[in-house]
Amino acid sequence: FKRAAFWRPFCLFLLLYIHSLQTNLECKRNLNLIKNSQFQLLSPIVAWKNVEDFMAEQKTLITNYKELKPILNKTITENVYGSYGVYFEDISTGAWLGLNEKQIFYPASLLKIPLIVAILKKVEENKISLEENITIKKEYLDPSFGELYKKGYGYSLSIKELLVYIIKESDNTAYQALLNNLTFDDINEVRVAMGVPKLESKESVSPKDYANILRSLYFSNYLKRE
């Protein structure tokens, strides 16, 4: 009995020690996997859970991006010259953070998304067809971005083909061709419907306002999902 009383707690201690070693080794192994992967910002607490455990625990988790803001700020200030604005939103929780997110910027090629939406809205309303052709005119050629201008002018492309050029290559010639088949009011209707202020004499928008367009597309509250 005395021997049992001595060995029982010793064996229990030994088992706990071995389990602790195994746990520590597993933690280090998983941390190294995350450190060497492309998901370095993923919490180790989440990373090594199996799907069932994660889905069960997800209901109790609170999303917080507070620690992301100084990381973004450091990254941008060390690598970006000039002024900048960043807006990030978790579409599933509404949690967000920003850096100069209300500052006004010239949106440049981001103006192409409202144009794409305006075209697709007309397709949705059966006012035009994706198979309808548009003739490329000399004044549409724009060499500042994209390769379509190299083909010259005088030939036709379908609206669908022009949209592909814009989406895949941000092509300026395709943009000009479609823009000349829309009115100023067409573009403004899209911006207002998707929660972006109307265009004034100078085209400008803040990152936070522009995010309304992406959110609207995600929830299909202007364009139908299909």
Side-chain angles (χ1 to χ4, degrees):
F1 178 79
K2 287 182 179 179
R3 288 179 181 176
F6 171 78
W7 284 107
R8 191 174 291 120
F10 177 77
C11 289
L12 180 61
F13 170 77
L14 188 61
L15 287 171
L16 288 172
Y17 178 71
I18 292 170
H19 177 72
S20 176
L21 282 177
Q22 289 175 334
T23 302
N24 286 334
L25 286 171
E26 182 70 12
C27 287
K28 287 179 180 178
R29 187 180 71 83
N30 287 319
L31 281 170
N32 285 331
L33 285 173
I34 294 167
K35 188 176 180 181
N36 296 323
S37 75
Q38 60 179 314
F39 305 111
Q40 294 179 20
L41 295 179
L42 186 62
S43 168
I45 298 171
V46 173
W48 60 62
K49 285 186 179 296
N50 61 47
V51 175
E52 292 76 16
D53 289 343
F54 173 73
M55 294 303 290
E57 193 173 307
Q58 190 180 34
K59 298 174 183 178
T60 67
L61 297 176
I62 298 174
T63 305
N64 189 321
Y65 295 102
K66 185 178 179 181
E67 294 180 5
L68 182 59
K69 189 166 185 174
I71 295 172
L72 278 176
N73 197 32
K74 183 174 183 294
T75 302
I76 291 169
T77 52
E78 289 179 352
N79 296 283
V80 178
Y81 298 97
S83 59
Y84 61 86
V86 176
Y87 179 76
F88 167 81
E89 181 178 325
D90 184 331
I91 206 76
S92 60
T93 66
W96 67 274
L97 62 86
L99 298 169
N100 302 325
E101 72 277 5
K102 294 183 180 180
Q103 187 172 326
I104 298 301
F105 295 90
Y106 176 69
S109 282
L110 292 178
L111 288 169
K112 291 169 182 170
I113 294 184
L115 174 134
I116 292 167
V117 172
I119 291 290
L120 291 176
K121 191 66 178 178
K122 286 185 174 293
V123 172
E124 186 179 281
E125 294 170 345
N126 295 316
K127 292 180 179 177
I128 60 174
S129 166
L130 285 174
E131 307 309 317
E132 185 177 320
N133 287 329
I134 292 177
T135 300
I136 304 299
K137 298 179 181 179
K138 188 175 182 178
E139 57 265 32
Y140 298 166
L141 302 182
D142 187 338
S144 55
F145 215 91
E147 302 290 322
L148 187 56
Y149 78 95
K150 293 180 179 180
K151 295 184 178 182
Y153 57 92
Y155 62 96
S156 296
L157 287 173
S158 70
I159 288 175
K160 183 177 181 180
E161 289 173 315
L162 291 168
L163 287 173
V164 170
Y165 270 105
I166 295 177
I167 295 168
K168 291 182 71 175
E169 301 178 18
S170 192
D171 192 282
N172 280 5
T173 298
Y175 173 76
Q176 292 297 334
L178 290 175
L179 182 63
N180 279 275
N181 284 271
L182 292 173
T183 66
F184 186 80
D185 289 338
D186 290 331
I187 302 294
N188 259 339
E189 179 187 328
V190 169
R191 290 173 63 103
V192 173
M194 300 181 90
V196 179
K198 279 187 177 182
L199 287 173
E200 302 299 337
S201 56
K202 185 179 180 182
E203 297 175 337
S204 57
V205 68
S206 72
K208 190 170 184 179
D209 281 339
Y210 192 87
N212 291 336
I213 293 176
L214 304 180
R215 191 186 302 105
S216 175
L217 287 172
Y218 181 82
F219 287 114
S220 305
N221 57 16
Y222 181 63
L223 280 181
K224 291 179 182 177
R225 191 173 186 85
E226 56 270 20

